[in-house]
């Protein structure tokens, strides 16, 4: 693992994945302040405040609109990369984040809740991209670098939790600044991105530029002997010379990859329907319902963030030894069991006050289980299960489902919690256990295998 390859992965993860994680958690601690701002603005405009249901609806839209922006971004990323290259796409996306930060930062001064919602949707548009690490890494490092973005997602969540403490930016007057801090990693990525070449795989397979791909590999791998990697990519290119890139519709109709496609659908939808977005978006509300004193909730939340970073590091450093399947199966099983545990703790906490701590432990278990495997493996699997001709369409399918399910959970969870109470977590429990069973029965191990070998296994 060379300094250049690690630096490129860190830079992309810092400017993309960390922002994604930050935006997942940034609306959690200032939730009541944002609702108060919405209510005051509505009263100023129309002479009366908002009732509970419309206010919940407006805030749920603010939370979940991030995912709709991500959906649009995931649909556009292929076209943008083909036109501008990977670095060019990242640069343009970073500029969008600077715009979004301006919208959210000045929303209160201009008394405009719409600016918060627009800013959230633009940050989602930036986050709707494919990971870079597994595209530039040799097969023995695809797992490690493929999970690196998940570490930065955890770091982004943790950063939002720490900055949201009452002693920092958790006060009412600071929430616009809190939301607009997304501009810092975007600006740094924009500043440093030109130091790194394009993805070698993109240069050779998409642009047929062997010379530039070789130079990029020299820089990323730190060696002049890159012929084996070049030959592997050329072999894939030759195998695709008579094959056109398939569309999403063609992918869904292609019987030769139907199990790969179904696997992408299951793991990507399951990742978001597992309940992790409800945990990240509404952590404070969940802890409050679990009976944790309000004054202790911000610090309990920060503690869960620290644990998820440790869990992510464990997954990152063990994936090449343990493989993809054990991590994702164990992660989903742990999340399912802990979701059921939250339901039990909520039902019994009146009779047994100490059950509130079981509830907190279960929340930690869900986050830790997610970060160890389901956080990054589905994206990695999408890259590994398909050859280049099918991979863009597969990313569109997986990314679209990912963001649609993210939006669904973020928008519906407050209403589901109001209607089903403690039993709402059993929905997430069922999803997690079914996904774990599917992976156990259907998806093979992809560790240290080329894209062509994985394709032959499914065939």
């Amino acid at each position: 693992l060379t300094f250049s390859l690690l630096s490129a992965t860190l830079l992309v993860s810092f400017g993309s994945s960390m922002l994604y994680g930050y935006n997942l958690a940034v609306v959690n601690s200032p939730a009541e302040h944002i609702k108060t701002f919405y209510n005051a603005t509505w009263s100023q405009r129309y002479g009366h405040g908002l009732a509970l249901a419309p206010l919940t609806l407006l805030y749920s839209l603010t939370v979940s609109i991030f995912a709709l922006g991500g959906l649009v971004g995931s649909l556009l990323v292929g076209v943008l990369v083909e036109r501008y290259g990977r670095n060019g796409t990242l640069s343009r996306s970073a500029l969008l984040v600077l715009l979004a930060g301006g919208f959210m930062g000045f929303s209160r001064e201009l008394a405009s809740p719409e600016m918060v919602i627009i800013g959230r949707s633009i940050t989602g548009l930036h986050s709707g991209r494919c990971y870079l690490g597994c595209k530039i890494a040799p097969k023995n490092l695809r797992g490690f670098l493929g999970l690196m973005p998940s570490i930065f997602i955890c770091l982004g969540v943790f950063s939002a939790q720490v900055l949201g403490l009452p002693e920092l930016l958790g006060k009412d007057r600071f929430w616009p600044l809190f939301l607009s801090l997304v501009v810092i990693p975007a600006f740094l990525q924009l500043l440093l991105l030109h130091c790194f070449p394009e993805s070698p795989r993109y240069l050779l397979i998409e642009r047929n530029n062997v010379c530039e791909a070789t130079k990029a590999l020299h820089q990323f791998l730190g060696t002049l002997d890159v012929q084996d990697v070049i030959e592997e990519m050329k072999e894939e290119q030759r195998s695709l010379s008579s094959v056109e890139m398939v569309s999403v519709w063609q992918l869904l109709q292609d019987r030769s990859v139907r199990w790969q496609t179904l696997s992408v659908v299951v793991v990507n939808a399951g990742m978001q329907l597992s309940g992790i977005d409800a945990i990240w978006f509404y952590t404070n509300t969940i802890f409050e319902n679990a009976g944790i004193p309000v004054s202790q909730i911000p610090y309990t939340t920060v503690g869960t963030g620290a644990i998820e970073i440790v869990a992510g590091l464990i997954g990152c450093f063990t994936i090449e030894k343990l493989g993809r399947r054990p991590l994702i199966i164990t992660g989903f099983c742990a999340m399912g069991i802990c979701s059921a545990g939250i339901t039990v703790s909520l039902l019994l906490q009146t009779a047994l006050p100490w059950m509130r701590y079981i509830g907190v432990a279960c929340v930690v278990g869900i986050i830790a289980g997610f970060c160890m495997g389901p956080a990054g493996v589905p994206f990695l699997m999408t890259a590994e299960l398909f050859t280049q001709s099918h991979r863009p369409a597969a990313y569109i399918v997986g990314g679209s489902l990912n963001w649609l399910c993210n939006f669904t959970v973020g928008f519906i969870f407050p209403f589901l919690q109001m209607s089903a109470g403690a039993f709402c977590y059993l929905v997430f429990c069922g999803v997690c256990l079914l996904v774990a069973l599917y992976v156990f029965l259907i998806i093979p191990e992809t560790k240290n295998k080329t894209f062509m070998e994985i394709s032959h296994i499914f065939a």
Side-chain angles (χ1 to χ4, degrees):
L1 182 60
T2 66
F3 176 77
S4 183
L5 179 55
L6 181 61
S7 299
T9 307
L10 291 176
L11 177 63
V12 174
S13 298
F14 179 74
S16 301
S17 302
M18 190 168 179
L19 275 181
Y20 171 69
Y22 186 85
N23 280 292
L24 285 176
V26 72
V27 290
N28 178 48
S29 59
E32 294 305 318
H33 304 319
I34 295 174
K35 289 178 183 178
T36 301
F37 165 65
Y38 284 178
N39 203 28
T41 304
W42 193 272
S43 179
Q44 182 181 348
R45 289 181 182 179
Y46 304 107
H48 60 86
L50 283 163
L52 178 61
L55 182 60
T56 302
L57 181 67
L58 187 59
Y59 181 72
S60 297
L61 179 63
T62 303
V63 171
S64 57
I65 197 71
F66 171 73
L68 285 187
L71 172 61
V72 175
S74 68
L75 295 175
L76 293 177
V77 68
V79 176
L80 294 173
V81 168
E82 184 178 350
R83 183 169 183 178
Y84 299 113
R86 198 165 305 278
N87 288 0
T89 302
L90 290 170
S91 299
R92 285 163 174 79
S93 298
L95 289 173
L96 283 177
V97 176
L98 299 181
L99 177 64
F103 272 109
M104 294 185 290
F106 291 103
S107 57
R108 186 166 59 183
E109 282 70 16
L110 299 177
S112 175
E114 297 84 356
M115 291 177 68
V116 180
I117 296 173
I118 292 172
R120 287 279 295 168
S121 65
I122 294 175
T123 56
L125 186 67
H126 167 269
S127 296
R129 67 179 69 260
C130 303
Y131 286 165
L132 178 68
C134 60
K135 294 282 190 171
I136 61 178
K139 62 183 179 181
N140 65 308
L141 290 175
R142 282 204 308 261
F144 175 79
L145 293 181
L147 283 192
M148 188 70 74
S150 69
I151 299 298
F152 277 84
I153 292 175
C154 297
L155 285 171
V157 171
F158 182 66
S159 300
Q161 291 167 341
V162 171
L163 291 172
L165 289 173
E167 293 83 357
L168 298 175
L169 300 180
K171 297 182 176 65
D172 178 56
R173 68 179 184 272
F174 290 138
W175 69 260
L177 173 63
F178 189 25
L179 296 183
S180 65
L181 285 182
V182 293
V183 301
I184 295 176
F187 177 76
L188 289 175
Q189 187 183 70
L190 193 63
L191 194 65
L192 299 175
L193 198 58
H194 70 278
C195 299
F196 300 96
E198 280 285 356
S199 164
R201 187 171 296 276
Y202 166 81
L203 289 170
L204 194 147
I205 295 178
E206 298 289 345
R207 294 302 185 192
N208 199 30
N209 192 332
V210 180
C211 181
E212 289 299 320
T214 304
K215 289 180 181 179
L217 283 170
H218 287 163
Q219 181 172 340
F220 282 129
L221 301 183
T223 178
L224 296 177
D225 185 15
V226 296
Q227 195 57 36
D228 289 344
V229 184
I230 291 290
E231 287 302 322
E232 180 190 330
M233 290 191 289
K234 282 185 175 180
E235 180 184 351
E236 185 176 353
Q237 185 186 44
R238 283 192 295 269
S239 69
L240 299 172
S241 59
S242 60
V243 180
E244 295 182 359
M245 290 293 180
V246 303
S247 65
V248 172
W249 181 243
Q250 289 171 325
L251 175 70
L252 298 176
Q253 289 183 312
D254 191 342
R255 295 175 63 87
S256 68
V257 293
R258 64 181 174 182
W259 282 107
Q260 290 98 313
T261 304
L262 181 59
S263 298
V264 166
V265 168
V266 170
V267 296
N268 279 277
M271 178 175 62
Q272 299 300 336
L273 296 178
S274 65
I276 188 63
D277 290 315
I279 298 294
W280 274 334
F281 286 146
Y282 303 105
T283 307
N284 285 15
T285 303
I286 292 170
F287 283 156
E288 186 176 348
N289 292 337
I292 302 299
V294 175
S295 61
Q296 297 178 15
I297 287 177
Y299 308 99
T300 307
T301 301
V302 170
T304 64
I307 291 171
E308 72 190 63
I309 293 175
V310 174
L313 288 171
I314 292 173
C316 189
F317 285 101
T318 59
I319 187 170
E320 292 300 349
K321 183 177 181 179
L322 299 177
R324 283 68 161 143
R325 291 178 79 251
L327 286 180
I328 196 168
I329 291 171
T330 303
F332 274 116
C333 286
M335 294 175 74
I337 293 169
C338 289
S339 294
I342 292 178
T343 296
V344 173
S345 68
L346 290 174
L347 292 174
L348 298 180
Q349 70 180 17
T350 303
L352 303 171
W354 55 268
M355 288 299 292
R356 70 181 64 174
Y357 302 108
I358 300 297
V360 173
C362 288
V363 170
V364 172
I366 291 174
I367 294 174
F370 179 78
C371 292
M372 282 175 60
V377 174
F379 297 101
L380 186 60
M381 279 186 170
T382 304
E384 293 184 332
L385 294 183
F386 294 91
T387 55
Q388 189 71 17
S389 62
H390 291 71
R391 197 173 296 127
Y395 266 119
I396 291 174
V397 171
S400 299
L401 279 170
N402 195 304
W403 288 108
L404 280 173
C405 293
N406 186 307
F407 171 80
T408 301
V409 173
F411 189 76
I412 291 178
F413 180 73
F415 302 99
L416 180 65
Q417 197 174 36
M418 285 191 289
S419 60
F423 296 100
C424 67
Y425 298 97
L426 294 181
V427 176
F428 304 136
C429 172
V431 170
C432 290
L433 296 181
L434 286 174
V435 173
L437 181 63
Y438 177 89
V439 175
F440 178 77
L441 295 175
I442 301 298
I443 300 180
E445 182 56 66
T446 58
K447 182 179 69 171
N448 287 340
K449 293 182 175 66
T450 66
F451 300 120
M452 300 303 294
E453 288 171 343
I454 295 167
S455 179
H456 290 155
I457 292 172
F458 267 102

